[in-house]
Coordinates of all heavy atoms in Angstrom, one line a residue:
A2 N 12.2 3.2 -9.0 CA 11.0 4.0 -8.7 C 11.6 5.4 -8.3 O 12.6 5.5 -7.6 CB 10.2 3.4 -7.6
G12 N 0.4 24.1 -1.3 CA 0.8 23.1 -0.4 C 1.9 22.2 -0.9 O 2.9 22.8 -1.4
Y13 N 1.8 20.9 -0.8 CA 2.9 20.0 -1.2 C 2.3 19.0 -2.1 O 1.1 18.6 -2.0 CB 3.4 19.2 0.0 CG 4.0 20.2 1.1 CD1 3.2 20.7 2.1 CD2 5.3 20.6 1.0 CE1 3.8 21.6 3.0 CE2 5.9 21.5 1.9 CZ 5.1 22.0 2.9 OH 5.6 22.8 3.9
V14 N 3.1 18.6 -3.1 CA 2.6 17.6 -4.1 C 3.8 16.6 -4.4 O 4.9 17.0 -4.5 CB 2.1 18.3 -5.4 CG1 3.2 19.0 -6.1 CG2 1.4 17.4 -6.3
V23 N -0.1 13.5 -6.3 CA -0.9 13.4 -5.0 C -0.6 14.6 -4.2 O 0.6 14.9 -3.9 CB -0.4 12.1 -4.3 CG1 -1.1 11.9 -3.0 CG2 -0.7 10.8 -5.2
A24 N -1.6 15.2 -3.7 CA -1.5 16.3 -2.8 C -1.2 15.8 -1.3 O -1.8 14.8 -0.9 CB -2.8 17.2 -2.8
G26 N -0.1 17.0 2.9 CA -0.1 18.0 3.9 C -0.3 17.4 5.3 O 0.0 16.2 5.5
G27 N -0.6 18.3 6.2 CA -0.8 17.8 7.6 C -2.2 17.2 7.8 O -3.1 17.3 7.0
T35 N -1.7 12.7 4.4 CA -0.5 12.9 5.2 C 0.6 11.9 4.6 O 0.2 10.9 4.0 CB -0.7 12.6 6.7 OG1 -0.9 11.2 6.9 CG2 -1.8 13.5 7.2
L40 N 2.1 6.2 3.1 CA 2.9 5.0 3.4 C 1.9 3.8 3.5 O 2.1 2.7 2.9 CB 3.7 5.1 4.7 CG 4.4 3.9 5.1 CD1 5.6 3.6 4.2 CD2 4.8 4.1 6.6
G45 N -0.9 -0.9 1.0 CA -2.2 -1.5 0.5 C -2.2 -1.7 -1.0 O -2.6 -2.7 -1.5
I49 N -2.7 -5.2 -3.0 CA -3.9 -5.4 -3.8 C -3.7 -5.5 -5.3 O -4.3 -6.3 -6.0 CB -5.0 -4.3 -3.5 CG1 -6.4 -4.9 -3.8 CG2 -4.7 -3.0 -4.2 CD1 -7.5 -4.1 -3.2
T51 N -1.2 -6.8 -6.7 CA -0.6 -8.1 -6.9 C -1.6 -9.2 -6.6 O -1.6 -10.2 -7.4 CB 0.7 -8.3 -6.1 OG1 1.5 -7.1 -6.3 CG2 1.5 -9.5 -6.4
V70 N -6.1 -0.3 5.5 CA -4.7 -0.4 6.1 C -4.7 0.6 7.2 O -5.0 1.8 7.0 CB -3.6 -0.1 5.0 CG1 -2.3 -0.4 5.6 CG2 -3.8 -1.0 3.8
H71 N -4.4 0.1 8.4 CA -4.5 0.9 9.6 C -3.3 0.7 10.5 O -2.7 -0.4 10.6 CB -5.7 0.4 10.4 CG -5.9 1.1 11.7 ND1 -6.5 2.3 11.8 CD2 -5.5 0.8 13.0 CE1 -6.5 2.8 13.1 NE2 -5.9 1.8 13.8
I83 N 1.1 -2.5 11.7 CA 0.2 -2.2 10.6 C -0.7 -3.3 10.3 O -0.3 -4.5 10.1 CB 1.0 -1.8 9.3 CG1 1.9 -0.6 9.6 CG2 0.0 -1.4 8.2 CD1 2.9 -0.2 8.5
P92 N -17.3 -14.9 -5.8 CA -18.2 -15.2 -6.9 C -19.3 -16.3 -6.4 O -18.9 -17.2 -5.7 CB -17.4 -15.8 -7.9 CG -16.0 -15.5 -7.5 CD -16.0 -15.3 -6.1
G94 N -21.3 -19.4 -6.0 CA -21.1 -20.8 -6.4 C -19.6 -21.2 -6.6 O -19.3 -22.4 -7.0
R103 N -7.1 -16.5 0.1 CA -6.3 -16.5 1.3 C -4.8 -16.9 1.0 O -3.9 -16.3 1.5 CB -6.9 -17.3 2.4 CG -8.1 -16.7 3.1 CD -8.5 -17.4 4.4 NE -8.9 -18.8 4.1 CZ -10.1 -19.2 3.7 NH1 -11.0 -18.3 3.6 NH2 -10.4 -20.4 3.5
A106 N -3.1 -14.1 -1.0 CA -2.8 -12.9 -0.2 C -1.7 -13.1 0.8 O -0.8 -12.2 1.0 CB -4.1 -12.5 0.6
V116 N 6.9 -3.1 -0.9 CA 6.7 -2.1 0.2 C 6.7 -2.9 1.6 O 7.4 -2.4 2.5 CB 5.4 -1.3 0.0 CG1 5.1 -0.4 1.2 CG2 5.4 -0.6 -1.3
V126 N 17.8 4.6 4.3 CA 17.5 5.9 3.6 C 18.7 6.7 3.6 O 19.4 6.9 4.6 CB 16.4 6.6 4.4 CG1 16.1 8.0 3.8 CG2 15.1 5.8 4.4
L128 N 20.4 10.3 2.7 CA 20.1 11.7 2.6 C 21.2 12.4 1.7 O 22.3 12.4 2.1 CB 20.0 12.4 3.9 CG 19.4 13.8 4.0 CD1 18.0 13.9 3.4 CD2 19.5 14.3 5.4
D129 N 20.8 12.8 0.5 CA 21.7 13.5 -0.4 C 21.5 15.0 -0.5 O 20.5 15.4 -1.1 CB 21.6 12.8 -1.8 CG 22.6 13.4 -2.8 OD1 23.5 14.0 -2.4 OD2 22.3 13.1 -4.0
P131 N 22.4 19.1 -1.1 CA 23.3 19.9 -1.9 C 24.4 20.6 -1.1 O 24.2 20.8 0.1 CB 22.3 21.0 -2.4 CG 21.2 21.1 -1.5 CD 21.1 19.7 -0.9

Side-chain angles (χ1 to χ4, degrees):
Y13 300 91
V14 66
V23 176
T35 68
L40 176 72
I49 204 166
T51 309
V70 185
H71 178 82
I83 299 172
R103 281 193 300 275
V116 177
V126 175
L128 190 58
D129 183 14

